[in-house]
Every structure is written in structure tokens, then in C-alpha cells.
Amino acid sequence: TGGEELDRTMDAAILVIAKAQAPDGYINTQTQLTGKKRWTIPRDHELYNLGHLMTAACIHHRMTGKNNFLQVARKAADYLYPVFSERKPELALITYNPTQIMGLVELYRVTRERKYLELAQTFVDIHGSVPGGTDHNQTRVPVREETEAVGHSVLGGYLWAGVTDVYTETGEQALGETLKRLWDDISTRKMYV
């Protein structure tokens, strides 16, 4: 059937992705194939790609019950954990297009591995935490201090969806208040018919 063929196609693609993954869990081919240094150019979308990979792997696992793609995602998240848990200021601006927050929360939901939720919280904490950020990617101020929806709507949407995921799992009041402020700003001042 079409489902079996799709399953085989997915397994083949997942095998290629797994082979491209570095032994330490890192995967971003435009960095790996060009010799660029990791985590130096925010717009290289390293975390963006990993976030979508984690989300896709979780959906694949839910739909098929298979762990092959989930193993790739866990290896990537396990690599990210020590790199970003230290909260080094020079890495705070790398969170340019923050799909990794959503991906990590999904990985937590699937595996119940608490460190993935902790890492998602870390990314929320460091987003906007160092000087040099801009309104464009919502890094001018820390998330909990945001009072107005500013900047690129897709970057903001990814950030605030990830923050919503973290809030859903933790119930942190400050995040809930921030999300309400932003929703009020978007829905009463930024939407037009």
C-alpha cells in the first residue's frame, strides 16, 4: 500500500539524516560541509534546523511508533544540553529563529526526559539576555520583559509558540503574564482587517 511505500521512503531518508549527524549529535549540513565554526553566525539557522528536526522526529514517532528518527533527535538534543545549559553570553544571540524551544518541549512530551524541558526553559531564559539584540528577532529584551510584539512576525511566532509550550508544561506565572501581554498587543493593536 501507499503507507508501506511511504514508510520505506521515510526510513531511507532517516538513515541518510542519521549518517549526516556528527558523532557528538550535531547536525547542520551547511556548517558541516563548509567547515564553518559552529554557533558563530545566528542567521545560519543551526537551532532552527534542529528544532524542526526534533519536532518532525516526535511526530514520526507518534505516527509510526518507530524510534529511528527519534534517536537522531535525542542525540541532537543531548548534544545541545551541555553546550547551552552553561548559558554562555556569546551563545545567547544564536537563538535567531527559535524553533528549538518547540522541538525540545515536544521531545520532552514524547520521552518524559526532564532535561529536554529544562533546556527549552534555558533557551527562553537566554533569549534577549545579552546586549546587542534587536527588535527584529525579539532579542532586545528578555522574554519575560516583553511588553509589545515587535519585529519579524515569523521569528516572533516561533518564539512565542515555544514560550507557550514551556508555559503549558511548567505553569510559570511570569511566562503566562508575558504571553497575555503580547496577545493583547497583537490582537488589539497589531491585527488589521
Side-chain angles (χ1 to χ4, degrees):
T1 68
E4 292 171 357
E5 184 178 339
L6 177 59
D7 191 47
R8 283 191 300 276
T9 301
M10 289 294 300
D11 282 348
I14 291 165
L15 185 59
V16 170
I17 294 167
K19 286 182 178 180
Q21 190 170 35
D24 65 1
Y26 179 86
I27 182 168
N28 188 41
T29 53
Q30 77 167 355
T31 301
Q32 291 168 281
L33 296 176
T34 61
K36 291 180 183 177
K37 188 175 179 198
R38 297 176 185 182
W39 314 120
T40 56
I41 304 170
R43 289 187 184 215
D44 274 358
H45 292 85
E46 290 165 284
L47 289 169
Y48 170 83
N49 293 336
L50 287 167
H52 282 309
L53 181 141
M54 287 183 271
T55 300
C58 291
I59 300 304
H60 177 263
H61 172 74
R62 283 191 189 115
M63 297 303 295
T64 67
K66 292 183 171 188
N67 290 325
N68 52 346
F69 200 12
L70 191 63
Q71 289 171 340
V72 173
R74 289 186 77 160
K75 188 174 179 180
D78 291 344
Y79 160 76
L80 290 175
Y81 189 84
V83 173
F84 286 91
S85 290
E86 293 182 27
R87 301 173 184 232
K88 294 177 184 174
E90 63 271 19
L91 293 179
L93 291 175
I94 291 297
T95 63
Y96 178 76
N97 203 342
T99 64
Q100 79 280 2
I101 301 169
M102 293 181 290
L104 286 161
V105 174
E106 282 305 310
L107 203 51
Y108 163 71
R109 289 172 176 157
V110 168
T111 67
R112 303 316 285 178
E113 185 77 39
R114 187 98 184 138
K115 71 179 181 179
Y116 301 141
L117 179 59
E118 290 170 9
L119 186 56
Q121 290 173 295
T122 296
F123 280 115
V124 170
D125 294 345
I126 67 174
H127 198 88
S129 66
V130 297
T134 68
D135 283 345
H136 174 75
N137 64 333
Q138 299 81 29
T139 54
R140 186 176 46 84
V141 298
V143 169
R144 291 168 187 82
E145 295 175 22
E146 288 185 331
T147 58
E148 179 183 6
V150 296
H152 194 291
S153 62
V154 175
L155 304 179
Y158 283 143
L159 173 64
W160 302 320
V163 171
T164 301
D165 281 339
V166 172
Y167 170 70
T168 299
E169 295 299 329
T170 66
E172 183 192 326
Q173 185 175 351
L175 290 180
E177 291 167 0
T178 298
L179 291 165
K180 173 136 179 31
R181 276 193 312 272
L182 293 170
W183 174 255
D184 289 344
D185 181 55
I186 292 168
S187 64
T188 63
R189 294 182 197 86
K190 305 274 170 53
M191 284 187 183
Y192 305 99
V193 175

